[in-house]
Amino acid sequence: FLRSLYHHNTKPRVSNFHPAAYWSNKNVQALKIRTIIAAMLDSLKKLVPEFDRSNVRMRDPQLVEKAIRVMMKDAQHKLQVVADFDRTLSKYTENGQPCSTTHSVLEESKHMPEFYRVESLKLKELYLPIEFDHTKTIEEKIPKMIEWWHKGHALLTSCHLTQEDLTPIVTDSMARLRNGCKDFFNLLHSMDIPILIFSAGIGDVISETIKQQATFYPKNMKVVANFLQFDEMGKMVGFVGDEIIHTFNKNESAIHSSDYFYNIRHRENLLLMGDSLGDLRMAEGADQVECILKIGFLNFKVEENLDVYMKSYDVVILEDESLDVVNGIVKAILGKPTVES
């Protein structure tokens, strides 16, 4: 629409072309476009005041507003949430200091053996650059991710970790839920809105972090991740199941062949939250979804990655330690007032 508006009647006739008139007409059309876009943004900001923040980007504000208004009609009755954990529900930094992912909670812990910290760092230095190498395709990255996860899991199993160890390990770590995450979980629980936390990280660390820093609600919260397996003495002996969840196979997880999405098939409106392009595929098993809003957190290398995130996510939030924008969206959908300071 905007492109057609911009180009409409702006091509001069060769026979009576006047440069001054042409550029004047072109400027008028450009002004109309800017006016329309500004009106769209004003309407959207009235709906969700948090969209007025300088670190929020949208490729198509009209699409975002349309999705939110569709979801508002059904409110909590048809809403579901699918969210990544590391650097989506949890922070990337806090006051300028790096925060821990679920894997690095263990890798950096003073409670873990020295050999584990050393060897896990070597693996990260080898494989992490491959994960974020934009010159490689996902197909090229997947075998390396599987290698990394297998080696890392075998290394962790050799440490003979116990269930009791997890509490102090998480307590003393730099894992941090985003500001507002506790309120987010409480609101979803109070309205009986299901949230699927889908992670390539360590499920036990996710659950423990939520229990320590918020409230874990089994009724409406489900975690799909790599869970530790313990023997009858409480000692780790491996991982639950044969399937490894890594960054690029979230669409292939067993959750998609289970009855999870089928059991909530009446929930046709979906909020998807992630911080990587691989997270976009988390909800591929939700076949009944009719309206989806994709919210992406771009935590680092903003200039380098902004274009691809803008093409992939509907809303992109830059270098933010909070869930304020997400909470604003959810409150708008549920018809709850939000006050933006």
Side-chain angles (χ1 to χ4, degrees):
F1 165 73
L2 293 178
R3 285 196 296 270
S4 63
L5 176 63
Y6 185 84
H7 289 295
H8 180 64
N9 285 335
T10 61
K11 186 176 180 180
R13 296 177 181 176
V14 177
S15 59
N16 59 351
F17 174 52
H18 299 286
Y22 168 64
W23 287 112
S24 175
N25 187 40
K26 190 171 184 180
N27 289 337
V28 168
Q29 297 297 337
L31 180 60
K32 287 182 179 178
I33 293 172
R34 289 196 296 270
T35 301
I36 291 172
I37 292 174
M40 288 179 184
L41 288 173
D42 285 344
S43 175
L44 192 51
K45 289 170 184 176
K46 288 178 183 177
L47 202 60
V48 182
E50 289 81 1
F51 281 151
D52 198 28
R53 297 188 175 189
S54 61
N55 67 330
V56 178
R57 302 285 187 275
M58 285 170 278
R59 177 185 71 257
D60 187 344
Q62 193 174 27
L63 180 149
V64 172
E65 181 171 357
K66 181 179 179 181
I68 292 174
R69 291 196 181 279
V70 167
M71 293 182 182
M72 287 173 67
K73 294 178 182 178
D74 303 312
Q76 73 271 23
H77 306 293
K78 291 190 176 183
L79 184 63
Q80 61 169 302
V81 179
V82 177
D84 172 53
F85 184 80
D86 284 325
R87 298 173 175 174
T88 297
L89 294 174
S90 70
K91 294 181 180 181
Y92 178 69
T93 60
E94 182 175 69
N95 300 323
Q97 298 299 313
C99 290
S100 302
T101 64
T102 57
H103 279 101
S104 58
V105 162
L106 298 167
E107 295 163 357
E108 299 165 359
S109 177
K110 65 182 180 182
H111 300 283
M112 297 296 287
E114 176 68 17
F115 81 87
Y116 175 74
R117 296 199 297 270
V118 171
E119 294 302 318
S120 61
L121 179 59
K122 289 180 181 178
L123 290 175
K124 180 180 289 187
E125 290 174 343
L126 174 63
Y127 290 104
L128 190 62
I130 298 174
E131 179 180 348
F132 291 98
D133 185 349
H134 295 296
T135 67
K136 296 184 182 297
T137 65
I138 290 178
E139 289 70 25
E140 290 173 320
K141 293 179 182 182
I142 286 176
K144 295 299 181 182
M145 295 302 101
I146 294 174
E147 264 183 34
W148 185 9
W149 259 246
H150 273 302
K151 291 178 180 179
H153 288 184
L155 182 64
L156 181 58
T157 302
S158 70
C159 296
H160 306 298
L161 187 70
T162 67
Q163 287 177 305
E164 289 74 19
D165 293 331
L166 285 173
T167 299
I169 287 174
V170 172
T171 300
D172 295 340
S173 75
M174 276 297 294
R176 297 288 187 274
L177 294 179
R178 288 183 182 270
N179 301 339
C181 195
K182 182 176 181 179
D183 295 334
F184 178 63
F185 289 153
N186 289 345
L187 180 57
L188 295 182
H189 177 257
S190 69
M191 306 301 286
D192 198 26
I193 298 168
I195 174 171
L196 173 65
I197 300 174
F198 205 157
S199 175
I202 307 296
D204 308 78
V205 174
I206 293 172
S207 300
E208 185 64 29
T209 301
I210 294 174
K211 289 173 184 176
Q212 290 190 19
Q213 299 180 24
T215 304
F216 190 93
Y217 297 106
K219 182 181 178 182
N220 73 306
M221 298 175 73
K222 182 177 181 63
V223 177
V224 174
N226 299 296
F227 277 90
L228 309 180
Q229 184 171 10
F230 298 94
D231 63 17
E232 63 277 3
M233 302 300 292
K235 183 182 293 185
M236 181 188 171
V237 293
F239 281 77
V240 175
D242 300 323
E243 182 182 32
I244 292 176
I245 301 174
H246 58 75
T247 308
F248 300 112
N249 76 337
K250 289 185 176 182
N251 63 310
E252 300 172 1
S253 170
I255 190 68
H256 297 304
S257 59
S258 74
D259 58 2
Y260 177 81
F261 285 118
Y262 179 80
N263 289 338
I264 58 171
R265 61 191 181 279
H266 64 286
R267 295 187 176 271
E268 300 164 350
N269 302 326
L270 190 148
L271 284 183
L272 184 145
M273 301 161 53
D275 76 305
S276 74
L277 300 183
D279 291 334
L280 291 161
R281 308 181 73 181
M282 292 187 295
E284 287 188 3
D287 298 328
Q288 307 299 321
V289 168
E290 294 185 0
C291 182
I292 182 168
L293 187 65
K294 294 170 285 188
I295 304 167
F297 290 87
L298 181 48
N299 298 302
F300 62 100
K301 295 184 178 180
V302 171
E303 291 186 6
E304 181 180 330
N305 294 304
L306 183 56
D307 283 348
V308 68
Y309 272 64
M310 289 280 285
K311 291 175 183 176
S312 304
Y313 285 99
D314 302 313
V315 179
V316 181
I317 304 167
L318 313 178
E319 297 179 319
D320 198 331
E321 295 181 1
S322 78
L323 276 187
D324 291 348
V325 176
V326 173
N327 282 334
I329 293 171
V330 173
K331 288 177 181 178
I333 292 170
L334 300 180
K336 292 184 176 292
T338 178
V339 178
E340 177 69 346
S341 58

Coordinates of all heavy atoms in Angstrom, one line a residue, residues 234-290:
G234 N 20.4 -40.2 43.6 CA 20.4 -38.8 43.3 C 21.6 -38.4 42.6 O 21.9 -37.2 42.5
K235 N 22.4 -39.3 42.0 CA 23.6 -39.0 41.2 C 23.3 -39.0 39.7 O 22.6 -39.8 39.2 CB 24.7 -40.0 41.5 CG 26.0 -39.7 40.9 CD 27.1 -40.7 41.2 CE 27.4 -40.7 42.6 NZ 28.5 -41.7 42.9
M236 N 23.8 -37.9 39.0 CA 23.6 -37.8 37.6 C 24.3 -39.0 36.9 O 25.4 -39.3 37.1 CB 24.1 -36.5 37.1 CG 23.9 -36.3 35.6 SD 24.7 -34.9 34.9 CE 24.4 -35.1 33.2
V237 N 23.5 -39.6 36.0 CA 24.0 -40.7 35.2 C 23.9 -40.5 33.7 O 24.2 -41.3 32.9 CB 23.3 -42.0 35.6 CG1 23.7 -42.4 37.0 CG2 21.8 -41.9 35.4
G238 N 23.4 -39.3 33.3 CA 23.2 -39.0 31.9 C 22.1 -38.0 31.7 O 21.8 -37.2 32.6
F239 N 21.5 -38.1 30.5 CA 20.3 -37.2 30.2 C 19.1 -38.0 29.9 O 19.2 -39.1 29.4 CB 20.7 -36.3 29.0 CG 21.6 -35.1 29.4 CD1 22.9 -35.3 29.6 CD2 21.0 -33.8 29.5 CE1 23.7 -34.2 29.9 CE2 21.8 -32.8 29.9 CZ 23.2 -33.0 30.1
V240 N 17.9 -37.4 30.2 CA 16.7 -38.1 30.0 C 16.4 -38.2 28.5 O 16.5 -37.2 27.7 CB 15.5 -37.3 30.6 CG1 14.2 -38.0 30.3 CG2 15.7 -37.3 32.2
G241 N 16.1 -39.4 28.0 CA 15.7 -39.6 26.6 C 16.9 -39.6 25.7 O 18.1 -39.3 26.1
D242 N 16.7 -39.9 24.4 CA 17.8 -40.0 23.4 C 17.9 -38.7 22.6 O 18.9 -38.6 21.9 CB 17.5 -41.2 22.5 CG 17.4 -42.5 23.2 OD1 18.2 -42.7 24.1 OD2 16.6 -43.4 22.8
E243 N 16.9 -37.9 22.7 CA 16.9 -36.7 21.8 C 17.6 -35.6 22.5 O 17.4 -35.2 23.6 CB 15.4 -36.3 21.6 CG 15.3 -35.1 20.6 CD 13.9 -34.7 20.4 OE1 13.1 -34.9 21.4 OE2 13.5 -34.2 19.3
I244 N 18.5 -35.0 21.7 CA 19.3 -33.8 22.1 C 18.6 -32.6 21.5 O 18.3 -32.5 20.3 CB 20.7 -33.8 21.7 CG1 21.5 -34.9 22.5 CG2 21.4 -32.4 21.9 CD1 22.9 -35.0 22.0
I245 N 18.2 -31.6 22.3 CA 17.7 -30.3 21.8 C 18.8 -29.3 21.7 O 19.5 -29.0 22.7 CB 16.6 -29.8 22.7 CG1 15.4 -30.8 22.8 CG2 16.0 -28.5 22.1 CD1 14.4 -30.4 23.8
H246 N 19.1 -28.9 20.5 CA 20.1 -27.9 20.3 C 19.5 -26.7 19.6 O 18.3 -26.6 19.3 CB 21.3 -28.4 19.5 CG 21.0 -29.0 18.1 ND1 20.7 -28.1 17.0 CD2 20.9 -30.2 17.6 CE1 20.4 -28.9 16.0 NE2 20.5 -30.2 16.3
T247 N 20.3 -25.7 19.3 CA 19.8 -24.4 18.8 C 19.0 -24.5 17.6 O 18.0 -23.7 17.4 CB 21.0 -23.4 18.6 OG1 21.8 -23.4 19.8 CG2 20.5 -22.0 18.2
F248 N 19.3 -25.4 16.7 CA 18.7 -25.4 15.4 C 17.7 -26.6 15.1 O 17.4 -26.8 14.0 CB 19.8 -25.5 14.3 CG 20.7 -24.3 14.4 CD1 22.1 -24.4 14.8 CD2 20.3 -23.0 14.1 CE1 22.9 -23.3 14.9 CE2 21.1 -21.9 14.2 CZ 22.4 -22.1 14.6
N249 N 17.3 -27.3 16.1 CA 16.4 -28.4 15.9 C 15.1 -28.3 16.8 O 14.5 -29.3 17.0 CB 17.1 -29.8 16.1 CG 17.3 -30.1 17.5 OD1 17.3 -29.2 18.4 ND2 17.4 -31.4 17.8
K250 N 14.8 -27.1 17.2 CA 13.6 -27.0 18.1 C 12.4 -27.4 17.4 O 11.4 -27.8 18.0 CB 13.5 -25.6 18.6 CG 14.6 -25.2 19.6 CD 14.4 -23.9 20.3 CE 15.5 -23.6 21.3 NZ 15.3 -22.3 22.0
N251 N 12.3 -27.3 16.0 CA 11.2 -27.7 15.3 C 11.0 -29.2 15.2 O 10.0 -29.8 14.8 CB 11.2 -27.1 13.9 CG 12.4 -27.7 13.1 OD1 13.5 -27.6 13.6 ND2 12.2 -28.1 11.9
E252 N 12.1 -30.0 15.6 CA 12.1 -31.4 15.4 C 11.9 -32.1 16.8 O 11.8 -33.3 16.8 CB 13.4 -31.9 14.8 CG 13.7 -31.3 13.4 CD 15.1 -31.7 12.9 OE1 15.8 -32.4 13.7 OE2 15.4 -31.2 11.8
S253 N 11.7 -31.3 17.8 CA 11.6 -31.9 19.2 C 10.4 -32.8 19.3 O 9.4 -32.6 18.6 CB 11.6 -30.8 20.2 OG 11.3 -31.4 21.5
A254 N 10.4 -33.7 20.2 CA 9.3 -34.6 20.5 C 8.0 -33.9 20.9 O 6.9 -34.4 20.8 CB 9.7 -35.6 21.6
I255 N 8.2 -32.6 21.4 CA 7.0 -31.9 21.7 C 6.0 -31.7 20.6 O 4.8 -31.7 20.7 CB 7.3 -30.5 22.3 CG1 6.1 -29.8 23.0 CG2 7.9 -29.6 21.2 CD1 5.6 -30.5 24.2
H256 N 6.6 -31.7 19.4 CA 5.7 -31.5 18.2 C 5.0 -32.8 17.8 O 4.0 -32.7 17.1 CB 6.6 -31.0 17.0 CG 7.2 -29.7 17.3 ND1 6.5 -28.6 17.6 CD2 8.5 -29.3 17.2 CE1 7.3 -27.5 17.8 NE2 8.5 -27.9 17.6
S257 N 5.4 -33.9 18.2 CA 4.7 -35.2 18.0 C 3.9 -35.6 19.2 O 3.3 -36.6 19.1 CB 5.7 -36.3 17.6 OG 6.7 -36.5 18.6
S258 N 4.0 -34.9 20.3 CA 3.2 -35.2 21.5 C 1.9 -34.6 21.3 O 1.5 -33.9 20.3 CB 3.9 -34.7 22.7 OG 3.8 -33.2 22.8
D259 N 1.1 -34.7 22.4 CA -0.3 -34.1 22.4 C -0.4 -32.7 23.0 O -1.5 -32.2 23.2 CB -1.3 -35.1 23.1 CG -0.9 -35.3 24.6 OD1 0.1 -34.7 25.0 OD2 -1.6 -36.1 25.2
Y260 N 0.8 -32.1 23.3 CA 0.8 -30.8 23.9 C 0.0 -29.8 23.1 O -1.0 -29.2 23.6 CB 2.2 -30.2 24.1 CG 2.2 -28.8 24.8 CD1 2.0 -28.7 26.1 CD2 2.3 -27.7 24.0 CE1 2.0 -27.4 26.7 CE2 2.3 -26.4 24.5 CZ 2.1 -26.3 25.9 OH 2.1 -25.0 26.4
F261 N 0.3 -29.5 21.9 CA -0.3 -28.5 21.1 C -1.8 -29.0 20.7 O -2.7 -28.1 20.6 CB 0.5 -28.2 19.8 CG 1.7 -27.4 20.0 CD1 2.9 -27.9 19.7 CD2 1.6 -26.1 20.5 CE1 4.1 -27.1 20.0 CE2 2.7 -25.3 20.8 CZ 3.9 -25.8 20.5
Y262 N -2.0 -30.3 20.6 CA -3.3 -30.8 20.3 C -4.3 -30.5 21.4 O -5.4 -30.1 21.2 CB -3.3 -32.3 20.0 CG -4.6 -32.9 19.7 CD1 -5.2 -32.8 18.4 CD2 -5.4 -33.5 20.7 CE1 -6.5 -33.3 18.2 CE2 -6.6 -34.0 20.4 CZ -7.2 -33.9 19.2 OH -8.4 -34.4 18.9
N263 N -3.8 -30.6 22.7 CA -4.6 -30.4 23.8 C -5.0 -29.0 24.0 O -6.0 -28.7 24.7 CB -3.9 -31.0 25.1 CG -3.9 -32.5 25.1 OD1 -4.7 -33.2 24.4 ND2 -3.0 -33.0 25.9
I264 N -4.3 -28.1 23.4 CA -4.6 -26.6 23.5 C -4.9 -26.1 22.2 O -4.7 -24.9 21.9 CB -3.5 -25.8 24.2 CG1 -2.2 -26.0 23.5 CG2 -3.3 -26.2 25.7 CD1 -1.1 -25.0 24.0
R265 N -5.5 -26.9 21.3 CA -5.7 -26.5 19.9 C -6.8 -25.4 19.8 O -6.8 -24.7 18.8 CB -6.2 -27.7 19.1 CG -7.5 -28.4 19.6 CD -7.7 -29.7 18.9 NE -8.9 -30.4 19.3 CZ -9.1 -31.1 20.4 NH1 -8.0 -31.2 21.2 NH2 -10.2 -31.7 20.7
H266 N -7.6 -25.2 20.9 CA -8.5 -24.1 20.8 C -7.8 -22.7 21.0 O -8.4 -21.7 20.8 CB -9.6 -24.3 21.9 CG -9.1 -24.3 23.3 ND1 -8.3 -25.3 23.8 CD2 -9.1 -23.3 24.3 CE1 -8.0 -25.0 25.1 NE2 -8.4 -23.8 25.3
R267 N -6.6 -22.8 21.5 CA -5.8 -21.5 21.7 C -5.1 -21.2 20.4 O -4.0 -21.6 20.1 CB -4.8 -21.7 22.8 CG -5.6 -22.0 24.2 CD -4.6 -22.0 25.4 NE -5.4 -22.1 26.6 CZ -5.9 -21.1 27.3 NH1 -5.7 -19.8 26.9 NH2 -6.5 -21.3 28.4
E268 N -5.9 -20.4 19.6 CA -5.4 -20.1 18.2 C -4.5 -18.9 18.1 O -4.1 -18.5 17.0 CB -6.7 -19.9 17.4 CG -7.6 -21.1 17.3 CD -9.0 -20.8 16.8 OE1 -9.3 -19.6 16.6 OE2 -9.7 -21.8 16.5
N269 N -4.3 -18.2 19.3 CA -3.5 -17.0 19.3 C -2.2 -17.3 20.0 O -2.2 -17.8 21.1 CB -4.2 -15.8 19.9 CG -5.5 -15.5 19.2 OD1 -5.6 -15.6 18.0 ND2 -6.5 -15.0 20.0
L270 N -1.1 -17.0 19.4 CA 0.2 -17.4 20.0 C 1.2 -16.2 20.0 O 1.5 -15.6 19.0 CB 0.8 -18.5 19.2 CG 2.0 -19.3 19.7 CD1 2.0 -20.7 19.3 CD2 3.3 -18.6 19.3
L271 N 1.8 -16.0 21.2 CA 2.9 -15.1 21.3 C 4.2 -16.0 21.3 O 4.3 -16.9 22.2 CB 2.9 -14.3 22.6 CG 1.9 -13.2 22.8 CD1 2.1 -12.5 24.1 CD2 2.1 -12.2 21.7
L272 N 5.1 -15.7 20.4 CA 6.4 -16.4 20.3 C 7.5 -15.5 20.7 O 7.6 -14.4 20.2 CB 6.6 -17.0 18.9 CG 7.8 -17.9 18.7 CD1 7.6 -19.0 17.8 CD2 9.0 -17.0 18.3
M273 N 8.4 -15.9 21.6 CA 9.4 -15.1 22.1 C 10.8 -15.8 22.0 O 10.9 -16.9 22.5 CB 9.2 -14.7 23.6 CG 7.9 -14.0 23.9 SD 7.4 -14.1 25.6 CE 8.9 -13.5 26.4
G274 N 11.7 -15.1 21.3 CA 13.0 -15.8 21.2 C 14.1 -14.8 21.0 O 13.9 -13.6 20.9
D275 N 15.4 -15.3 21.0 CA 16.5 -14.4 20.8 C 17.4 -14.8 19.6 O 18.5 -14.2 19.4 CB 17.3 -14.2 22.1 CG 18.2 -15.4 22.4 OD1 17.7 -16.5 22.4 OD2 19.4 -15.3 22.5
S276 N 17.0 -15.9 19.0 CA 17.8 -16.4 17.8 C 16.9 -16.7 16.7 O 15.7 -16.9 16.9 CB 18.6 -17.6 18.2 OG 17.8 -18.8 18.4
L277 N 17.4 -16.9 15.5 CA 16.6 -17.3 14.4 C 16.1 -18.7 14.5 O 15.0 -19.0 14.0 CB 17.4 -17.1 13.1 CG 17.9 -15.7 12.8 CD1 18.7 -15.6 11.5 CD2 16.8 -14.6 12.8
G278 N 16.8 -19.5 15.2 CA 16.4 -20.9 15.4 C 15.1 -21.0 16.3 O 14.3 -21.9 16.1
D279 N 14.9 -19.9 17.1 CA 13.7 -19.9 18.0 C 12.4 -19.7 17.2 O 11.3 -20.0 17.7 CB 13.8 -18.8 19.0 CG 14.9 -19.1 20.0 OD1 15.2 -20.3 20.3 OD2 15.5 -18.1 20.6
L280 N 12.5 -19.2 16.0 CA 11.3 -18.9 15.2 C 10.6 -20.2 14.8 O 9.4 -20.2 14.5 CB 11.7 -18.2 13.9 CG 12.2 -16.8 14.1 CD1 13.0 -16.3 12.8 CD2 11.0 -15.8 14.3
R281 N 11.3 -21.4 15.0 CA 10.7 -22.6 14.6 C 10.1 -23.4 15.7 O 9.6 -24.5 15.6 CB 11.7 -23.5 13.9 CG 12.4 -22.7 12.7 CD 13.5 -23.6 12.0 NE 12.8 -24.6 11.2 CZ 13.5 -25.5 10.4 NH1 14.8 -25.5 10.5 NH2 12.9 -26.4 9.7
M282 N 10.1 -22.8 16.9 CA 9.6 -23.5 18.1 C 8.1 -23.9 18.0 O 7.8 -24.9 18.6 CB 9.8 -22.6 19.4 CG 11.3 -22.4 19.7 SD 11.4 -21.5 21.3 CE 10.7 -19.9 20.9
A283 N 7.3 -23.1 17.4 CA 5.9 -23.4 17.4 C 5.4 -24.1 16.1 O 4.2 -24.0 15.8 CB 5.1 -22.1 17.6
E284 N 6.3 -24.7 15.4 CA 5.9 -25.4 14.1 C 4.9 -26.5 14.3 O 4.2 -26.9 13.4 CB 7.1 -25.8 13.3 CG 7.9 -24.7 12.7 CD 8.9 -25.1 11.8 OE1 9.1 -26.4 11.5 OE2 9.7 -24.3 11.3
G285 N 4.8 -27.0 15.5 CA 3.8 -28.1 15.8 C 2.4 -27.6 16.2 O 1.5 -28.3 16.3
A286 N 2.3 -26.2 16.3 CA 1.0 -25.6 16.7 C 0.2 -25.4 15.4 O 0.0 -24.2 15.0 CB 1.2 -24.4 17.5
D287 N -0.3 -26.4 14.8 CA -1.0 -26.3 13.5 C -2.3 -25.6 13.6 O -2.8 -25.1 12.5 CB -1.3 -27.8 13.0 CG 0.0 -28.5 12.8 OD1 1.0 -27.9 12.4 OD2 0.0 -29.8 12.9
Q288 N -2.9 -25.4 14.7 CA -4.2 -24.8 14.8 C -4.1 -23.3 15.0 O -5.1 -22.6 15.0 CB -5.0 -25.4 16.0 CG -5.2 -26.9 16.0 CD -5.8 -27.4 14.7 OE1 -6.8 -26.8 14.3 NE2 -5.4 -28.5 14.2
V289 N -2.9 -22.8 15.1 CA -2.7 -21.3 15.4 C -3.2 -20.5 14.1 O -2.8 -20.8 13.0 CB -1.3 -21.0 15.7 CG1 -1.0 -19.5 15.7 CG2 -1.0 -21.6 17.1
E290 N -4.0 -19.5 14.4 CA -4.4 -18.6 13.3 C -3.8 -17.2 13.3 O -3.7 -16.5 12.3 CB -5.9 -18.5 13.4 CG -6.7 -19.8 13.1 CD -8.2 -19.6 13.0 OE1 -8.7 -18.4 13.2 OE2 -8.9 -20.6 12.8

